[in-house]
Amino acid sequence: MKVVWTFVKHEIFKVIKNKKMLFSIFVMPILLVAFSLGLTSMQLEREAHADTYRVCFFNAQIREESHDMSGVILQLENGSKEEYAAFLEDKQVNLDEIFVEFMETGVNVYYNSLDGAVESLLPNIEEYMIKPYMEAAYAAGQGAGVEHFALEVVDTSDEMERKNLSLSFMLPYLLQIILFMNLVSVVGDTFAGEKERGILAKQVLTPISTNQLIFGKLLGSTLVGVSSSVIYFVILTLGDWISLKATGKAAMGIVRAALGAGQIVVMLIGFAFLSLVFVAAIVLASCFAKTVKEATNLSMIVYYIVIVAAVASAFQMGEAPIISYAIPIYNFSLFMSNVLSGTATLINGLVTAASLFVTFLILVAASVMNFSGEKAIN
Amino acid sequence: MIRIENVTKKFKDKEAVKNLSFHIRQGEIFALLGPNGAGKTTTMRMLSTLLKATSGDIFIHGLDVKKDATEIKKNIAFLTTEIRLDGQFTPNELADFYGNLYGMDKEAIRTNKERLFTYFDITPIADKRYETFSTGMKQKTSIAICLLHDPKIIIFDEPTNGLDVLTQKQVEDFLLMEKEKGKTLVISTHILEVVEALADRVGIIIDGKNVAEGTIEEVIAANEAKDLREAFISLYERNHEMEASIVKESKKKKWW
């Protein structure tokens, strides 16, 4: 244990003493993240505003507390012409009465953009409801003024929820990439970099076991890499508050608006588990690399897996089966999306953590088996 | 003390060391001589436990390097120009770090550090970064850190390489002092003056094979030479030619 602690201290001091590394793993990414999130936040503001007019008609979930519900509410399901007819009959909806009554004021059709886009709903409403009504009105010689009939589209979803949804797609991916790049930088240098500079061989020559060497360096570099990511996270969550104090505007409101304390804690725990997998994967790659460049190239395999997992999790519709949470890295993206959208469950979290930890152990075992004095020298 | 028995080391399809055998006695300075690429460094690395022999055995103090590497590491020091210290740290920090890895207590680290730092004139710069030192000071600091755990066997690959005359003398004197204390030293060099000044016995490796072993006088006499240089050249020409002709012959066989 003393040896492991010696390595942990050594790794931390190594970063503190290296101004370039300090800048590259702590300062530079913070600036980049702040800048990119600021831009993203602005973009999301624009998109959120545009939703009110752009998104198609939708069914269900009307928020009575936040909208004026006077008039007739049409809660429609997407479906065929026959289903629409059945729906109208079932609800005893008389379109003649509705449209005549609201000829002057128009009809509000509410939708909730968070419940999934149903692009066919608007044409269906027009085709199956409005058009037949107008045709009937013209046929009955009552068409005068019908063409002025107003159909207003209102998005009933909460703006904060919309941001949260966008965030749940983007943030897990963004943070995984930040975490991974940090760890590649720190762990890659700890193993392959020290091998390249002839430092690792000096450590291998001491009477410590391969397990102690790998665990000590792994733990030290994990702490550095993860603390760097935690700092980003804190900067992100405090960013809005700082911005408000300084300028009176919430430049990075995206994060503060979306995350609660519980979500942040669960995310940090998730990141701790994910970082173990990343570190162990980079260590394994470093065992086969002679230089940092080689180690980075080999570690890129994990980078591609992160991208694929993040994209795959973004396309996950509805509740994913529990087995999905046993797939390392993909499960993290999935679970983080759940956390951010407020749909995470304890069992999903436990399966994710267990899967990541088992992967970590397998990768460490593979590293220990593949590491030898010969691998420490070029 | 150190027994190298029929050791062969292969790297993919290349044999760096071929059926090598040496016996190094306790308390002597044994010099491994050979041209570049002869297999000296590979042999030293196998002695230091960094590399594992493909076949054959190496015993140090009766311990097998394959099975008892951890125990052997406690009693050896291996210094080569390819193995370096982390430049961001000071000699004091490096001594504490490596002392801890060797399982030394604080008092032992302090005592040994003081002795070595004083001898190698490191004390005034012990709190400055290693990367800011001159080549000579770097080499002296490496030696000091390497010997911090007071090893019984010292393995030095090119111990005076790149050093000025004064530093070279300081290092040579130190090695002789360590020998006086009963320690065993294995040095590898192609500088014959260093061998003549330090070595009790020599082993000559050419193309990965042991072609001579004995005191300097014995090697000179066996090769009917005037001095060690002439003996070395004679051994090289005879053994390297033989090797070249074998390679030529085998290529012919492959061709036909």
Side-chain angles (χ1 to χ4, degrees):
Chain A
M1 197 60 209
K2 192 187 167 191
V3 169
V4 172
W5 176 236
T6 301
F7 270 115
V8 170
K9 281 195 297 184
H10 188 74
E11 290 303 320
I12 293 169
F13 283 135
K14 199 169 77 178
V15 172
I16 291 170
K17 280 171 163 283
N18 189 333
K19 285 176 187 165
K20 284 177 190 167
M21 192 176 268
L22 265 181
F23 183 78
S24 70
I25 67 171
F26 285 108
V27 183
M28 189 65 186
I30 289 171
L31 297 176
L32 287 173
V33 166
F35 179 70
S36 60
L37 265 186
L39 286 179
T40 314
S41 181
M42 286 161 62
Q43 180 62 25
L44 281 172
E45 286 289 342
R46 278 205 295 274
E47 286 185 1
H49 182 68
D51 275 352
T52 308
Y53 305 101
R54 189 200 64 191
V55 181
C56 67
F57 282 86
F58 201 75
N59 60 338
Q61 295 197 21
I62 294 164
R63 306 289 168 97
E64 294 194 24
E65 68 277 12
S66 59
H67 291 277
D68 176 12
M69 300 303 294
S70 62
V72 174
I73 304 159
L74 298 177
Q75 291 190 30
L76 301 171
E77 300 294 331
N78 189 21
S80 64
K81 187 174 184 177
E82 290 71 29
E83 283 167 336
Y84 268 78
F87 169 80
L88 295 174
E89 192 179 336
D90 183 47
K91 300 289 180 188
Q92 298 181 325
V93 177
N94 186 332
L95 287 178
D96 286 347
E97 285 180 14
I98 291 169
F99 291 132
V100 169
E101 186 179 345
F102 293 94
M103 184 68 79
E104 298 299 320
T105 57
V107 171
N108 288 345
V109 178
Y110 291 83
Y111 73 100
N112 186 324
S113 61
L114 290 179
D115 289 343
V118 186
E119 280 79 3
S120 59
L121 201 55
L122 176 58
N124 284 349
I125 288 171
E126 287 179 334
E127 183 68 21
Y128 304 149
M129 295 173 71
I130 310 296
K131 197 175 161 188
Y133 163 73
M134 291 177 114
E135 282 171 0
Y138 280 122
Q142 299 168 345
V146 167
E147 63 272 16
H148 302 299
F149 176 73
L151 189 66
E152 191 179 344
V153 180
V154 181
D155 186 353
T156 63
S157 68
D158 184 83
E159 189 182 349
M160 197 175 285
E161 282 183 328
R162 284 200 299 279
K163 285 181 178 178
N164 207 346
L165 187 71
S166 304
L167 189 64
S168 72
F169 287 124
M170 186 190 69
L171 199 61
Y173 171 70
L174 184 69
L175 289 176
Q176 277 188 79
I177 295 300
I178 292 170
L179 180 70
F180 181 75
M181 297 318 277
N182 278 345
L183 292 174
V184 163
S185 163
V186 178
V187 184
D189 184 75
T190 297
F191 284 89
E194 290 194 353
K195 186 191 290 186
E196 202 175 350
R197 299 195 296 275
I199 297 165
L200 189 60
K202 176 81 187 148
Q203 293 164 8
V204 169
L205 283 167
T206 61
I208 58 171
S209 67
T210 305
N211 289 351
Q212 285 175 317
L213 179 87
I214 287 183
F215 270 110
K217 293 173 86 64
L218 187 142
L219 190 61
S221 47
T222 303
L223 281 177
V224 172
V226 172
S227 58
S228 156
S229 299
V230 168
I231 289 172
Y232 298 157
F233 206 84
V234 171
I235 292 289
L236 288 171
T237 51
L238 289 178
D240 184 65
W241 182 82
I242 294 165
S243 177
L244 272 172
K245 287 282 176 190
T247 66
K249 289 180 181 176
M252 292 195 296
I254 180 173
V255 172
R256 195 202 65 155
L259 297 180
Q263 286 171 306
I264 292 172
V265 170
V266 174
M267 284 188 80
L268 285 177
I269 294 169
F271 267 87
F273 277 95
L274 183 73
S275 61
L276 289 177
V277 173
F278 281 174
V279 169
I282 300 163
V283 169
L284 184 60
S286 298
C287 285
F288 296 98
K290 287 183 177 177
T291 62
V292 176
K293 194 179 170 187
E294 276 184 29
T296 307
N297 287 343
L298 285 172
S299 302
M300 280 301 118
I301 296 166
V302 181
Y303 181 80
Y304 299 135
I305 293 172
V306 169
I307 293 172
V308 171
V311 170
S313 68
F315 282 102
Q316 174 67 44
M317 291 298 168
E319 196 178 331
I322 190 74
I323 193 74
S324 307
Y325 295 89
I327 305 168
I329 299 179
Y330 171 67
N331 56 7
F332 178 83
S333 295
L334 207 56
F335 185 67
M336 284 300 121
S337 290
N338 290 353
V339 171
L340 288 163
S341 57
T343 57
T345 64
L346 181 64
I347 187 71
N348 290 350
L350 289 175
V351 172
T352 301
S355 158
L356 290 173
F357 193 68
V358 168
T359 308
F360 160 74
L361 291 178
I362 291 169
L363 290 170
V364 169
S367 300
V368 170
M369 283 166 67
N370 279 288
F371 189 82
S372 65
E374 302 198 20
K375 295 263 170 68
I377 47 174
N378 281 322
Chain B
M1 183 62 191
I2 299 176
R3 281 187 291 132
I4 303 171
E5 294 175 353
N6 307 316
V7 167
T8 295
K9 179 65 186 175
K10 282 184 188 173
F11 294 106
K12 293 182 182 170
D13 52 350
K14 189 197 168 196
E15 264 191 345
V17 171
K18 300 163 192 171
N19 208 29
L20 191 75
S21 295
F22 280 120
H23 182 210
I24 300 164
R25 297 164 193 162
Q26 184 162 1
E28 74 173 0
I29 298 182
F30 185 86
L32 268 181
L33 272 175
N36 291 335
K40 300 189 299 291
T41 300
T42 303
T43 306
M44 301 287 250
R45 285 178 175 181
M46 286 192 287
L47 275 178
S48 72
T49 72
L50 263 183
L51 292 184
K52 281 182 182 161
T54 309
S55 63
D57 296 301
I58 299 174
F59 295 97
I60 296 176
H61 281 293
L63 298 169
D64 188 339
V65 292
K66 284 178 190 164
K67 294 173 188 165
D68 309 303
T70 306
E71 198 54 38
I72 288 170
K73 282 175 183 177
K74 289 178 187 168
N75 293 306
I76 60 166
F78 178 44
L79 189 77
T80 162
T81 49
E82 290 158 348
I83 296 176
R84 300 183 193 100
L85 298 169
D86 200 332
Q88 311 167 66
F89 291 92
T90 67
N92 272 330
E93 289 165 341
L94 290 165
D96 290 342
F97 175 62
Y98 284 102
N100 282 328
L101 295 188
Y102 275 100
M104 297 167 72
D105 59 43
K106 280 185 181 174
E107 186 53 31
I109 294 173
R110 194 190 60 78
T111 312
N112 288 2
K113 189 166 71 175
E114 207 171 279
R115 177 174 62 85
L116 291 159
F117 281 16
T118 305
Y119 181 85
F120 287 113
D121 312 314
I122 299 165
T123 310
I125 53 165
D127 286 317
K128 290 185 177 168
R129 285 177 176 230
Y130 173 78
E131 65 194 359
T132 62
F133 296 174
S134 64
T135 308
M137 281 315 296
K138 277 183 181 167
Q139 178 77 326
K140 288 199 281 186
T141 307
S142 292
I143 295 171
I145 299 296
C146 202
L147 301 175
L148 190 75
H149 61 294
D150 202 18
K152 290 174 185 160
I153 297 163
I154 301 167
I155 304 165
F156 273 4
D157 194 4
E158 305 287 357
T160 56
N161 203 15
L163 299 180
D164 63 44
V165 178
L166 293 173
T167 314
Q168 201 172 329
K169 174 82 170 58
Q170 199 177 12
V171 171
E172 284 175 12
D173 287 346
F174 183 81
L175 295 180
L176 289 169
M177 267 168 47
E178 292 296 293
K179 183 199 157 192
E180 291 301 311
K181 288 182 193 169
K183 294 184 178 177
T184 307
L185 290 99
V186 184
I187 59 169
S188 146
T189 181
H190 49 251
I191 305 169
L192 297 179
E193 291 78 14
V194 173
V195 178
E196 284 166 342
L198 296 176
D200 296 307
R201 294 193 315 124
V202 295
I204 298 177
I205 306 177
I206 291 174
D207 295 325
K209 288 190 288 192
N210 174 10
V211 295
E213 184 183 351
T215 62
I216 294 172
E217 294 74 25
E218 283 168 354
V219 171
I220 292 169
N223 289 280
E224 297 172 351
K226 285 188 297 186
D227 53 24
L228 185 59
R229 180 186 164 84
E230 199 178 292
F232 179 80
I233 292 169
S234 165
L235 280 165
Y236 178 76
E237 282 173 351
R238 275 182 281 141
N239 290 282
H240 189 62
E241 273 176 12
M242 260 166 53
E243 184 70 17
S245 66
I246 291 166
V247 172
K248 212 174 171 182
E249 196 62 31
S250 67
K251 275 185 180 171
K252 268 185 188 174
K253 280 178 187 169
K254 274 184 183 174
W255 176 255
W256 291 106

